[in-house]
Amino acid sequence: GAAPALELFFIAITSFHAIAQHSKSKMAMNQSESSTGFFQESNPKLDEIKKSLEGDSISNKLDGMKRLIAMISKGRDVRTLFPNVVKNVICDNLQVKRLVYMFLIHYAEFEQDLALLSINTFQKDLDNPSPLIRSQALRVLSSIRLKVITHILIISVKRCVGDNSPYVRKTAAHAIPKIYSLDHEKKEELVDCIETLIGDNTTLVLGSALTAFSEVCPERIDLLHPHFRKLCNMVADTDEWGQITMVNILTRYARCQFANPNPNERTKTVTRAKKKTSFYSDDDSDDSGDYDAEYDDGFEMDPDHRLLLRSVSPLLQSRNNGVVVAVAMMLYYCAPAAEALKIGKPMVRLVRNPPQIAYLVLCNIATISRSRPEMFSAYLTEFFVYDNDPEYIRELKLEILINVATESNINRILKEFTHYVKLENKKFVSATIQAIGTSAARLPEVQETCMQRLISLLSNRSEVVVAESVVVIKKLLQLGQESLEGEENTDQTRIVTHLAKLLDSIQVPNARASIIWIVGEYCTKIPLYAPDILRKLAQSFKNEAKITKLQILTLASKLVLANPNDATVSLIFQYVCNMAKFDMNYDLRDRARVLRVILIGNNAPTLKQKSLELLCSTKPAPEIVQVRDAGNFALNSLSHIVNHTAFGYQPLPEWPEEIPDPSVRNQVARKQRNAYGMPSAAAATTSTGGTSGFYSDEESSEYSDFDESYEDSYEDEDDFYGSSKPKAKSKASNDSAASFFGTPEVKKEKKVDSFFDDDDDFSDDDFSEESPAMASGASAFFDVSNSSPLTPTAKPSTGDLLNTDLLGLSLDEPSTTPTASPLRISSDVERSRLVLLKQVMSQGLQVEYLFLRRSSIQGPSFNPIQLYFINNSDNTFRDVVVKGSNDSVVPNDIINVIPPHSTAEALLNVKFSSPTMPVKMTVAHQENTYPVSLQPPPGELISQSGSILGSEFAAMQKKLGGMQEVSGKFPICDLNMITSKVLEKASVNVLKSDVGAGIFQFAGKCILDGNDILISVEVREGIARLKVNCNNAIFATTLHRELKKTLEKK
């Protein structure tokens, strides 16, 4: 009883499992059918979809979005529903949000104004737990092509560059070229992001990072030095499209950094013994063995160069055609000549792809086969033309067959050409006959064979074949004119006679003209036939084509010179000249007139004596014209295909004359990530040049403070984006994270060498906490015991500020307490006056102005401006005044008289509304009025009064982060001149001026809105980081640009 019961139990369980699986598969099938049903709807109504999107039901919204995506996939334009879709971006449902972002990515570039309304939501979604949502939010942001939000885009990209998800970092790499195309001035910040992404150890990110590199900063080869070996080792694991970009970049890198492996550019033909295997066999496909043993030509190759060639060679077996071509081009340009032979078989394999792909491959093969025919001579039959080949494929195959033709295989090629001549396509038949002639011209040893084949074609029934053969024979006779003389005189006469007999049957103008030229050129070989040929041609002269008439006239002239005593030939020549005299073509008339004067009578005795040299001189042999000559462009480029310079084309660099220092590749990257995608520390630059293993743990010791600055940067951005992540972390949590990710212990003291390690480059901690030595030095330097501001009467120089008693204060007894008030520098800084009205525009009256940098009696929003009226004329100006069109300008007191060659001064008060909007005014005197406009420098719209204290600077700068901060790096001028140059451009207070530490801090209040303005400059190793913090982004950007122009090293 127990056994049957147990058996029944197992049967029941099995049946239940089968029923469950059937139900589950049926439900999945129904769900799939319901989803695919959206693609089968013929004409869904947009009004119904609109109602679904505006409703509260999640299922209806999901249904409506599926319908929209289905309509987009079928090519319908549904951008009219963009406002309805963009409202649903705040939906909490993940499926709806994903479909909404798919819609927005598709249409955001066309509906930028509407997409801009939801920009805050896009920024918040950068903190979404789903990596897909974060990446799609960034894609939508980067699709909004408005220069106004460039700063927001850069902040978003910087956040996503540090994201834990490789997919989000990949999306950030794709966004960088979009931002660069929008604003080229942001290149420096984007290069910092690219440098971080290139240091990523995730293959998903590397391809996109290098694509951004190639579009934004392809000249920055120095960014690749630390990562070169990593790229070589990871190229096989990168996605296929990333491999193409990576191989192309490494090709250019190799051409710049390594020695030419073929010192003798014209290398000898290299042949290798091959096993007889089938074409698609794998026996000979992988040559990744011992290259040095196989290709030992005495050249000592750089180990990194050899590493590169070893790494990319297996990719010749890739299933992606673009990868195979890219690797083949690298080996062609960068490998030794013998080693480059391996690209022949992989390239030929691609010829059997669809015609569009085969065309691109054949273009590259055609160019390579001109200089290296031995690469493809073994695969001759792969280039034979098939009946179904398009015309553009046939032309390229013909060119390749010409290039690979040799004395050993010419008979086989000519036999194939003979078959092509029988085809019905006249254009292809003509191209084939021309190919025979080109083969004979390229290879003198096969010229006789080709000539015999062409003569045999003269008996062909097709007039096109005969005509084209005649033209080609004419060129070959010119090429072999010297060799055909003497011993081959009989063959030459036979050929000319045979061609002359064809004049009665051939009607093609080019062929007739070619035969007539041959008869005239070799008329001495057939003295009996030539005059009779001229007689027959003279009878049909009026019915001939232009090119034929010209050759008949030339033939008559040559026969007159060859038979000067033959009266019949002379009469025929005169008859032809008379016929040409009344021809409609002026070229023919002019030539007949010239020849008549030279050959008949004695009107031009000098020319008649030289007539034989003019008409019967030795003709130069015709040049071989290639079907397509694109050898000047780099292979596998658009310019090479279209045969002209395309937009964005970058020529391939030449090999360096002096080999660069190979030790640059021994340094370790400043910015890179570990396998978990988190910023990892890297090993310090090795001084001995030794290299460690690629995945060794020694690379994790370069920047001990990277993780700390990385977290700080996230906390700063979280304040701006309103993230709900906790701000404080316990030491235990930090230790656990460090143990999990393998990051080193964070040090408290930052080294100068790690100044540019983190993404923000300058940490806020540098301002908030000072070392004791620095604090004591600062307190000694800025020892101010009084709380009232100091305003000195004399203007100190920079050297005085640093070396002598500052503003009359004693430095002997430094204060032990931190400074309580900012250091006030006098507003009387040496500045040049600006011109408001030029004298050439106002009959000698020039008006100059200078901002006084003090409070105005008209109110805190007004700027007092000192005016200087300079009379450079001999006239007297009366009742001079500057006034505006509204209340924003308080005019100066009227100046009654300005005598000739004298100066007067006045005070003007102006209320500006923006640093980018000039104020329109008029300069008037008794006789005339002149319109002028006053553009305020951004630094003059700052007030020194009411600014923050030095102890508040770090906190205020952190508060004004994110979009309210504009920063940039550039080489700095003289370090001692930073303070004076900043004060020259901006009316601010100096809070800190430490030349030794390279830290300078300034503060002020904006006159326009009363908000704080902070300026900080930090210098390390000649590179300065300038930051401007202000609530007004436009004001901050304008001020940053002005200060950068002043401080940047020219």
Side-chain angles (χ1 to χ4, degrees):
L6 186 60
E7 184 178 353
L8 291 175
F9 175 74
F10 279 115
I11 292 175
I13 291 296
T14 304
S15 301
F16 178 78
H17 180 70
I19 294 173
Q21 289 292 335
H22 178 72
S23 301
K24 185 176 181 180
S25 61
K26 189 173 182 180
M27 291 175 61
M29 185 180 299
N30 294 335
Q31 185 177 3
S32 176
E33 291 178 355
S34 62
S35 298
T36 57
F38 296 115
F39 294 91
Q40 300 174 357
E41 293 182 356
S42 58
N43 190 17
K45 297 181 180 180
L46 295 181
D47 293 337
E48 296 180 359
I49 299 177
K50 184 177 180 180
K51 292 180 180 179
S52 300
L53 296 176
E54 293 180 350
D56 297 332
S57 175
I58 298 297
S59 60
N60 291 339
K61 290 183 178 182
L62 184 60
D63 181 81
M65 287 307 305
K66 288 181 178 180
R67 294 177 185 274
L68 284 180
I69 299 301
M71 295 169 70
I72 292 174
S73 66
K74 292 189 291 186
R76 289 194 56 181
D77 186 3
V78 292
R79 72 176 68 179
T80 54
L81 295 182
F82 191 92
N84 307 97
V85 175
V86 76
K87 295 177 183 178
N88 292 281
V89 75
I90 61 175
C91 182
D92 296 331
N93 186 275
L94 185 60
Q95 292 183 346
V96 174
K97 186 180 286 287
R98 288 172 57 184
L99 294 177
V100 168
Y101 270 117
M102 290 175 63
F103 183 94
L104 296 181
I105 290 170
H106 189 76
Y107 286 116
E109 191 170 351
F110 305 102
E111 301 289 344
Q112 298 181 5
D113 295 335
L114 293 175
L116 195 61
L117 299 176
S118 301
I119 192 170
N120 291 333
T121 305
F122 302 150
Q123 296 175 30
K124 291 180 181 178
D125 280 343
L126 294 176
D127 291 326
N128 194 285
S130 172
L132 184 60
I133 297 299
R134 296 199 300 271
S135 63
Q136 288 183 335
L138 182 61
R139 287 184 64 185
V140 174
L141 279 172
S142 60
S143 299
I144 303 176
R145 313 290 292 168
L146 295 177
K147 195 172 182 179
V148 182
I149 65 169
T150 304
H151 192 58
I152 298 176
L153 295 178
I154 292 179
I155 293 176
S156 303
V157 168
K158 285 183 177 180
R159 297 189 65 188
C160 293
V161 163
D163 197 276
N164 294 336
S165 171
Y167 185 73
V168 178
R169 300 199 299 273
K170 180 184 180 73
T171 306
H174 291 165
I176 289 176
K178 297 181 183 179
I179 301 175
Y180 179 70
S181 64
L182 198 61
D183 188 357
H184 289 280
E185 295 181 359
K186 304 296 183 182
K187 181 176 180 178
E188 294 182 3
E189 299 180 60
L190 296 176
V191 169
D192 291 341
C193 298
I194 292 174
E195 183 179 5
T196 304
L197 290 170
I198 294 178
D200 204 302
N201 288 338
T202 308
T203 55
L204 182 66
V205 181
L206 274 181
S208 302
L210 291 176
T211 301
F213 169 84
S214 62
E215 295 190 24
V216 177
C217 54
E219 73 284 355
R220 290 292 303 275
I221 299 294
D222 57 294
L223 299 180
L224 302 178
H225 290 326
H227 310 286
F228 173 78
R229 297 183 182 118
K230 178 188 73 174
L231 296 178
C232 291
N233 285 289
M234 299 183 71
V235 64
D237 299 326
T238 311
D239 62 278
E240 294 174 343
W241 301 114
Q243 287 175 347
I244 297 176
T245 303
M246 191 178 297
V247 170
N248 291 335
I249 290 176
L250 291 176
T251 300
R252 297 183 176 276
Y253 183 90
R255 295 278 293 195
C256 296
Q257 300 297 317
F258 300 133
N260 186 356
N262 303 303
N264 301 323
E265 290 295 335
R266 302 302 299 175
T267 56
K268 298 180 180 180
T269 302
V270 183
T271 57
R272 292 165 53 189
K274 290 183 174 289
K275 297 182 295 182
K276 288 191 175 182
T277 58
S278 60
F279 181 77
Y280 289 99
S281 65
D282 293 332
D283 297 340
D284 192 29
S285 61
D286 191 2
D287 297 328
S288 59
D290 190 0
Y291 291 138
D292 298 329
E294 189 174 0
Y295 310 110
D296 187 9
D297 55 359
F299 174 74
E300 185 177 355
M301 185 177 293
D302 188 289
D304 289 331
H305 193 173
R306 172 57 61 198
L307 172 65
L308 174 62
L309 299 180
R310 288 182 185 275
S311 300
V312 301
S313 293
L315 296 181
L316 289 173
Q317 311 305 318
S318 174
R319 63 181 180 180
N320 187 288
N321 302 320
V323 175
V324 176
V325 175
V327 175
M329 296 309 103
M330 171 183 278
L331 296 177
Y332 174 72
Y333 282 122
C334 304
E339 187 173 338
L341 289 174
K342 69 172 70 175
I343 72 175
K345 179 181 288 188
M347 290 286 286
V348 171
R349 283 175 178 170
L350 303 182
V351 175
R352 296 191 176 184
N353 277 287
Q356 295 79 6
I357 299 175
Y359 174 77
L360 302 178
V361 178
L362 288 172
C363 285
N364 292 296
I365 293 178
T367 303
I368 296 175
S369 61
R370 293 175 195 166
S371 57
R372 302 291 304 279
E374 67 275 6
M375 288 186 178
F376 306 100
S377 57
Y379 314 108
L380 186 67
T381 57
E382 295 297 324
F383 303 110
F384 286 173
V385 177
Y386 294 93
D387 293 338
N388 58 348
D389 283 341
E391 182 178 346
Y392 52 87
I393 297 293
R394 293 183 176 188
E395 293 176 356
L396 286 173
K397 286 187 174 182
L398 280 179
E399 181 181 357
I400 296 171
L401 288 174
I402 295 171
N403 293 338
V404 302
T406 59
E407 189 176 3
S408 59
N409 61 17
I410 188 63
N411 290 326
R412 189 175 186 185
I413 294 177
L414 291 178
K415 184 178 180 180
E416 184 71 14
F417 284 169
T418 305
H419 172 72
Y420 299 158
V421 170
K422 300 177 183 179
L423 300 178
E424 297 180 358
N425 190 330
K426 296 182 179 180
K427 186 176 180 181
F428 180 61
V429 169
S430 300
T432 303
I433 297 175
Q434 292 175 7
I436 297 175
T438 305
S439 301
R442 287 184 65 255
L443 302 171
E445 59 271 14
V446 302
Q447 185 172 339
E448 183 179 355
T449 304
C450 294
M451 180 68 78
Q452 294 175 358
R453 190 59 57 95
L454 289 171
I455 293 175
S456 66
L457 293 177
L458 295 178
S459 59
N460 195 286
R461 296 180 180 179
S462 174
E463 185 178 354
V464 176
V465 174
V466 176
E468 195 64 40
S469 300
V470 169
V471 175
V472 175
I473 289 174
K474 171 203 167 185
K475 294 181 180 179
L476 293 182
L477 285 174
Q478 287 181 266
L479 289 171
Q481 186 173 1
E482 296 181 357
S483 63
L484 288 175
E485 293 179 354
E487 61 183 50
E488 297 186 9
N489 186 28
T490 305
D491 294 337
Q492 184 178 0
T493 303
R494 181 174 57 84
I495 294 173
V496 175
T497 304
H498 186 66
L499 292 175
K501 293 179 180 180
L502 296 175
L503 279 174
D504 295 334
S505 59
I506 295 179
Q507 301 300 326
V508 179
N510 284 335
R512 292 180 63 83
S514 298
I515 294 176
I516 296 171
W517 181 90
I518 293 173
V519 172
E521 190 71 14
Y522 303 99
C523 60
T524 56
K525 308 295 182 183
I526 50 173
L528 299 178
Y529 300 110
D532 193 56
I533 293 173
L534 177 61
R535 178 185 61 81
K536 297 181 66 176
L537 291 173
Q539 294 177 355
S540 61
F541 183 85
K542 65 178 181 179
N543 298 324
E544 299 287 352
K546 171 191 170 182
I547 186 174
T548 307
K549 290 179 180 179
L550 289 172
Q551 292 301 328
I552 293 174
L553 187 60
T554 304
L555 172 62
S557 303
K558 291 180 179 180
L559 288 178
V560 168
L561 293 174
N563 305 281
N565 300 323
D566 194 332
T568 304
V569 173
S570 180
L571 290 175
I572 295 176
F573 172 72
Q574 294 185 36
Y575 173 79
V576 172
C577 289
N578 291 331
M579 294 290 291
K581 180 179 179 180
F582 300 99
D583 196 88
M584 296 297 295
N585 186 271
Y586 56 84
D587 288 336
L588 185 62
R589 296 197 305 267
D590 292 344
R591 181 176 294 190
R593 189 179 299 112
V594 171
L595 293 177
R596 182 192 293 271
V597 172
I598 294 175
L599 299 178
I600 299 178
N602 198 19
N603 297 328
T606 305
L607 291 177
K608 192 169 185 178
Q609 295 176 0
K610 302 290 185 180
S611 59
L612 194 62
E613 298 179 13
L614 290 175
L615 297 175
C616 300
S617 60
T618 303
K619 308 298 187 299
E623 297 181 357
I624 303 175
V625 180
Q626 296 287 351
V627 178
R628 54 186 310 275
D629 186 11
N632 295 329
F633 300 102
L635 297 177
N636 197 27
S637 64
L638 178 60
S639 298
H640 176 257
I641 300 300
V642 299
N643 202 15
H644 64 80
T645 303
F647 177 76
Y649 170 74
Q650 296 177 354
L652 194 68
E654 296 292 338
W655 292 105
E657 296 181 0
E658 296 184 2
I659 305 175
D661 184 12
S663 63
V664 295
R665 289 181 290 278
N666 294 334
Q667 61 180 332
V668 183
R670 293 194 300 109
K671 300 179 181 181
Q672 65 181 20
R673 295 183 171 275
N674 56 25
Y676 300 99
M678 296 295 292
S680 65
T685 304
T686 57
S687 57
T688 61
T691 58
S692 59
F694 178 70
Y695 292 105
S696 64
D697 296 334
E698 297 177 2
E699 294 182 357
S700 60
S701 61
E702 183 183 9
Y703 293 121
S704 58
D705 57 332
F706 191 93
D707 297 312
E708 181 180 5
S709 60
Y710 177 77
E711 295 295 333
D712 291 342
S713 65
Y714 257 95
E715 291 176 6
D716 296 345
E717 292 170 355
D718 291 339
D719 292 339
F720 173 70
Y721 285 100
S723 174
S724 60
K725 293 190 293 186
K727 298 297 180 69
K729 289 186 177 181
S730 64
K731 184 176 184 301
S733 62
N734 289 334
D735 293 341
S736 62
S739 63
F740 177 77
F741 290 111
T743 54
E745 181 180 355
V746 179
K747 298 181 181 179
K748 294 183 179 179
E749 296 181 0
K750 296 174 73 76
K751 298 183 294 183
V752 176
D753 295 338
S754 61
F755 183 75
F756 295 110
D757 292 355
D758 53 6
D759 281 338
D760 291 332
D761 292 330
F762 291 84
S763 174
D764 295 333
D765 297 338
D766 295 338
F767 297 103
S768 59
E769 295 182 8
E770 299 176 346
S771 62
M774 185 180 294
S776 62
S779 62
F781 184 79
F782 300 113
D783 183 16
V784 183
S785 57
N786 299 328
S787 59
S788 60
L790 301 174
T791 307
T793 57
K795 176 178 66 65
S797 65
T798 305
D800 295 332
L801 287 174
L802 299 175
N803 301 323
T804 64
D805 266 359
L806 181 63
L807 309 178
L809 301 178
S810 175
L811 299 179
D812 296 333
E813 298 179 0
S815 174
T816 57
T817 59
T819 178
S821 63
L823 175 66
R824 306 284 185 177
I825 298 297
S826 172
S827 60
D828 189 17
V829 179
E830 182 179 353
R831 292 172 290 142
S832 58
R833 295 186 296 195
L834 304 177
V835 178
L836 182 64
L837 178 64
K838 296 181 180 181
Q839 60 181 2
V840 295
M841 306 294 294
S842 57
Q843 302 176 354
L845 176 63
Q846 179 159 315
V847 182
E848 299 177 353
Y849 66 95
L850 185 67
F851 285 83
L852 296 181
R853 296 187 177 181
R854 69 188 185 196
S855 300
S856 172
I857 59 175
Q858 302 296 331
S861 59
F862 280 83
N863 268 83
I865 303 174
Q866 186 72 36
L867 299 178
Y868 302 89
F869 299 89
I870 305 172
N871 186 358
N872 295 317
S873 68
D874 297 331
N875 303 322
T876 300
F877 294 101
R878 301 180 183 276
D879 300 333
V880 181
V881 66
V882 178
K883 54 186 177 181
S885 58
N886 50 37
D887 297 338
S888 61
V889 178
V890 179
N892 62 290
D893 295 334
I894 297 177
I895 302 176
N896 297 326
V897 178
I898 304 180
H901 305 289
S902 61
T903 302
E905 297 182 6
L907 185 64
L908 182 71
N909 291 274
V910 182
K911 181 180 180 180
F912 297 98
S913 59
S914 171
T916 60
M917 294 181 61
V919 175
K920 296 182 179 180
M921 299 179 291
T922 56
V923 178
H925 56 80
Q926 191 176 17
E927 298 179 358
N928 209 340
T929 302
Y930 309 99
V932 295
S933 61
L934 180 58
Q935 177 85 30
E940 303 298 344
L941 299 180
I942 304 175
S943 173
Q944 299 179 12
S945 60
S947 65
I948 63 172
L949 304 178
S951 58
E952 303 171 346
F953 188 89
M956 181 59 70
Q957 189 179 49
K958 191 170 184 178
K959 181 179 179 181
L960 295 176
M963 290 182 58
Q964 304 171 21
E965 178 180 282
V966 180
S967 63
K969 291 188 298 185
F970 50 86
I972 194 65
C973 60
D974 186 5
L975 195 66
N976 296 323
M977 299 295 293
I978 291 179
T979 301
S980 59
K981 285 183 174 292
V982 171
L983 293 179
E984 180 184 349
K985 288 296 180 180
S987 175
V988 291
N989 293 317
V990 181
L991 302 184
K992 189 172 186 178
S993 180
D994 192 343
V995 178
I999 299 176
F1000 305 85
Q1001 298 175 357
F1002 310 86
K1005 287 279 188 180
C1006 181
I1007 295 178
L1008 302 179
D1009 50 20
N1011 290 323
D1012 290 296
I1013 297 176
L1014 307 181
I1015 302 173
S1016 65
V1017 182
E1018 285 208 22
V1019 184
R1020 295 292 185 274
E1021 299 178 359
I1023 303 297
R1025 163 71 78 179
L1026 171 64
K1027 287 186 180 181
V1028 178
N1029 299 81
C1030 179
N1031 285 327
N1032 190 333
I1034 297 178
F1035 185 91
T1037 303
T1038 309
L1039 179 60
H1040 185 276
R1041 187 184 305 115
E1042 292 295 326
L1043 292 176
K1044 180 182 177 181
K1045 291 180 181 178
T1046 303
L1047 298 175
E1048 188 171 12
K1049 184 178 181 180
K1050 301 298 187 292

